[in-house]
Amino acid sequence: MSISNNLLEIKKKIHKAAESCGRDPQTIKLVAVSKRHSTASIKEAMTAGHFLFGENYIQEAAKKREVINDKAQFHFIGHVQSNKAKQAAELFSMVETVDRYKLARALNNHLNQLNKKLDILVQVNIGKDPHKSGIMPEETTELLERITSLPNIRPLGLMTIPPLSKEKEDIRLHFKNLYCLAEDLAHKKLFFDNSSVELSMGMTQDFTIAIEEGATIIRVGTAIFGERPTLA
Ligand SMILES: *Cc1c(COP(=O)(O)O)cnc(C)c1O
């Protein structure tokens, strides 16, 4: 299957999942996760009309940005070390993985110099999985309260990677919990736009469930680009 065919198939599934629960498919953004895939693959997706990508590694994304034109936008979805905050602030239209104040503050300082505003999501460890990064759900209020004082950062919503599970209903429960948490935080007026909060959840295995549970951003890699090449 070609990348353009895969994209078509995914978009059909997004439509179907959205319609099955009475949502407008236009409100769901597809981040094509291109980590470890070539710039040729990204270009192929762009030729097919897709312009939103996700990357996990700053160095890799920097190299790709040099050869991919500005029609493409990139979300950062990996772990950001605070000493890479400068590059993260430059390269991405959104950083989905802010999970501590120190990082938010570092991004804010670099954005000042770049004269840029940056959309971010707070990554939440919704399943309290010791192997996953992200802030604990009960700590999100305090983090967002502190982020409010950073003028260059726009907290648009939450992102999560649930613990690995083969049980669909386990995964669904985590997505439901993230939705409820976002509702609570919006009620407290802690987001940039509290009437329209972004929820990034769902990958190749579970994006239709995520859509049913309110995802506005899904991050799909394998189903678009195929299996990822292993690291050299
Ligand atoms: C790799 C990755 C994805 C994509 O995973 P697939 O299973 O290939 O769709 C989504 N989100 C994050 C944070 C990732 O690291």
Side-chain angles (χ1 to χ4, degrees), residues 30-145:
L30 172 62
V31 172
V33 178
S34 46
K35 65 180 179 207
R36 308 217 300 263
H37 287 285
S38 66
T39 49
S41 294
I42 294 176
K43 286 179 180 167
E44 206 176 319
M46 288 170 75
T47 304
H50 192 81
F51 299 98
L52 181 59
F53 299 92
E55 289 282 340
N56 283 53
Y57 308 98
I58 303 267
Q59 242 43 300
E60 181 183 333
K63 279 194 190 144
K64 285 174 173 170
R65 287 252 66 167
E66 284 174 17
V67 289
I68 300 290
N69 71 39
D70 285 343
K71 261 191 148 180
Q73 291 201 341
F74 287 83
H75 284 194
F76 191 70
I77 59 172
H79 178 73
V80 199
Q81 293 163 282
S82 297
N83 65 1
K84 297 267 172 63
K86 181 165 187 271
Q87 278 176 294
E90 281 170 1
L91 291 167
F92 299 97
S93 64
M94 182 187 274
V95 172
E96 296 198 12
T97 46
V98 174
D99 60 359
R100 60 201 188 279
Y101 180 70
K102 190 179 171 213
L103 170 61
R105 194 185 51 194
L107 286 169
N108 186 68
N109 291 345
H110 293 299
L111 289 160
N112 226 7
Q113 285 152 26
L114 295 166
N115 201 13
K116 176 180 171 183
K117 306 283 182 215
L118 181 70
D119 295 338
I120 64 132
L121 303 178
V122 168
Q123 182 177 2
V124 182
N125 189 349
I126 199 71
K128 304 193 173 190
D129 179 345
H131 306 292
K132 291 270 185 306
S133 45
I135 190 169
M136 289 297 156
E138 60 273 17
E139 293 167 355
T140 47
T141 296
E142 195 199 338
L143 176 60
L144 279 163
E145 279 169 356

Side-chain angles (χ1 to χ4, degrees), residues 33 35 56 77 159 161 203-205 219-223 228:
V33 178
K35 65 180 179 207
N56 283 53
I77 59 172
M159 176 272 203
I161 310 167
M203 324 200 293
T204 291
Q205 292 306 329
R219 311 175 308 265
V220 179
T222 309
R228 276 181 284 283

Side-chain angles (χ1 to χ4, degrees), residues 153-169:
I153 284 185
R154 294 193 289 232
L156 298 192
L158 304 179
M159 176 272 203
T160 201
I161 310 167
L164 272 183
S165 170
K166 290 203 167 58
E167 299 299 326
K168 282 198 164 138
E169 292 316 304

Side-chain angles (χ1 to χ4, degrees), residues 9 11 24 27 30 33 105 123 158 216 231:
E9 287 302 314
K11 285 175 184 175
D24 174 2
T27 61
L30 172 62
V33 178
R105 194 185 51 194
Q123 182 177 2
L158 304 179
T216 64
L231 287 171

